Amino acid sequence: MENQANTKQTARGRWKLLAVIAVCAAPLLASYFMYYVVKPKGGETNYGTLLDARQYPIPSMASKQLDGSPATLADYRGKWVMLKVGPSDCQQDCQDQLFAMRQLRTMQGKAMDRVERVWLITDEQPLETMIMRVNDGTHMLRAPAAVVAKWLPVEQGERAADYVYLIDPLGNLMMRFPKGAVSSDTAKASKVHKDIAKLLKASAIG
């Protein structure tokens, strides 16, 4: 009898836990449904490519801040994250990405605090001081290149550094913007802005 009671109590506990998880996830799932299933009026569609987060779970990796202290993408749970990756040798296209990410965040207006910018640097070489100063506010983490390359989806013949990705507040990799979209090309950047703005408006979390 005691074992049966314990079993029932455990089962009730599990159901309560599942109910709490469902309540927490419901707003985000609803926003995805409204955004991707119930199409916006006028035939508009999303510009970024929707990713199946189950296929690309964020891997465990020995990432760290520039000062060497441990830091992971999980530290930004609860926020939308614009993610770029690439080596410390940040050439013009890389600089354009970083600048555009800053502008895209600012363009969200009152919702800008819901968005973080993260750059996963895939080597151990020093960064130029000017790059760090110009991109103050961008979280710069060093991460192992092999792990990052294995994780992020790319089109054939392209690199993860060619894209900017979006991670939702629950830590799901959920969108990839086209190559060159997050750049000095204002027309493309405007489309990225609209995608992010719609997600922020539809989502009750993050």
Side-chain angles (χ1 to χ4, degrees):
M1 294 292 292
E2 184 177 350
N3 288 338
Q4 290 181 345
N6 290 337
T7 299
K8 290 181 179 179
Q9 185 175 2
T10 300
R12 284 196 297 269
R14 289 175 178 171
W15 279 112
K16 288 180 180 178
L17 177 60
L18 290 173
V20 170
I21 293 174
V23 169
C24 292
L28 191 64
L29 294 175
S31 72
Y32 284 2
F33 179 81
M34 292 299 296
Y35 188 68
Y36 296 109
V37 179
V38 181
K39 298 297 182 182
K41 293 181 180 179
E44 295 181 3
T45 58
N46 51 289
Y47 181 53
T49 299
L50 181 64
L51 303 174
D52 185 345
R54 295 170 298 179
Q55 296 184 24
Y56 308 105
I58 297 176
S60 298
M61 51 183 161
S63 52
K64 58 188 177 183
Q65 299 185 63
L66 297 182
D67 63 6
S69 57
T72 69
L73 290 173
D75 296 339
Y76 309 106
R77 284 284 188 99
K79 296 291 185 73
W80 294 88
V81 175
M82 283 188 286
L83 177 73
K84 80 162 259 80
V85 304
S88 56
D89 183 16
C90 190
Q91 298 299 315
Q92 191 60 53
D93 57 345
C94 165
Q95 294 177 36
D96 288 346
Q97 277 184 329
L98 291 169
F99 176 78
M101 286 167 64
R102 184 177 67 190
Q103 295 300 101
L104 285 165
R105 180 178 181 272
T106 301
M107 289 166 67
Q108 302 307 323
K110 294 180 180 180
M112 64 183 291
D113 290 337
R114 300 170 64 190
V115 182
E116 295 287 359
R117 296 164 289 150
V118 177
W119 177 15
L120 288 184
I121 303 168
T122 53
D123 60 38
E124 295 291 334
Q125 299 303 311
L127 285 178
E128 291 186 11
T129 302
M130 185 57 67
I131 293 292
M132 291 188 285
R133 287 180 179 175
V134 170
N135 295 287
D136 183 42
T138 297
H139 302 282
M140 301 178 185
L141 308 182
R142 295 193 188 275
V147 177
V148 173
K150 187 176 180 180
W151 166 41
L152 294 173
V154 301
E155 294 296 325
Q156 187 174 0
E158 298 179 352
R159 310 164 301 151
D162 294 329
Y163 306 97
V164 168
Y165 300 82
L166 191 66
I167 298 175
D168 72 24
L170 297 181
N172 299 308
L173 181 69
M174 55 81 63
M175 184 173 281
R176 182 190 68 202
F177 295 110
K179 178 180 178 180
V182 180
S183 66
S184 57
D185 186 321
T186 55
K188 292 180 179 178
S190 177
K191 295 179 181 180
V192 175
H193 161 62
K194 289 180 180 179
D195 268 5
I196 296 175
K198 285 189 289 185
L199 283 168
L200 291 175
K201 184 177 180 180
S203 173
I205 64 174

